[in-house]
Amino acid sequence: MANRFVEENDLKQIDLGDGDWVKIPEAISYGIIESLGTLDTKDPKQLTAFLSTLLKEWNLKDASDAVVPITEEAIKKLEFKTISQIMEEVNKQLVVPKAS
């Protein structure tokens, strides 16, 4: 019997290369989507809010080699390539498979 409820503590690690990683929930709950209203991942403000909700841990460091706290400001400073890598994995969770 499958558990169809999302457990907050079940995290998936996304490898960004060079030893960098972020962790997101293993599955995205309806509650996360509902809290954001209509999710448009092409809207930068919605995407930033979505990522600040979704990103649970990371080991990303600044120029002084200190791990940066996960905040909306820090997310806005990430290079676009990094956001694209994260969203590629997130999008896999957002796709609802078609019924056969």
Side-chain angles (χ1 to χ4, degrees), residues 33-75:
I33 301 298
E34 181 186 47
S35 70
L36 296 169
T38 304
L39 178 63
D40 178 1
T41 56
K42 291 182 172 82
D43 179 336
K45 289 183 181 185
Q46 279 193 353
L47 183 55
T48 301
F50 181 60
L51 287 173
S52 67
T53 299
L54 212 60
L55 292 170
K56 301 298 183 188
E57 298 177 27
W58 68 21
N59 71 340
L60 306 181
K61 298 178 181 177
D62 62 15
S64 66
D65 208 33
V67 173
V68 176
I70 300 172
T71 64
E72 285 193 14
E73 279 305 308
I75 291 168

Side-chain angles (χ1 to χ4, degrees), residues 59-100:
N59 71 340
L60 306 181
K61 298 178 181 177
D62 62 15
S64 66
D65 208 33
V67 173
V68 176
I70 300 172
T71 64
E72 285 193 14
E73 279 305 308
I75 291 168
K76 288 178 185 178
K77 291 180 181 179
L78 288 174
E79 63 183 355
F80 187 73
K81 177 184 172 189
T82 301
I83 295 294
S84 294
Q85 283 180 278
I86 295 168
M87 285 309 299
E88 186 175 315
E89 288 299 315
V90 169
N91 283 334
K92 291 176 186 176
Q93 295 183 23
L94 294 175
V95 173
V96 178
K98 292 182 180 180
S100 303

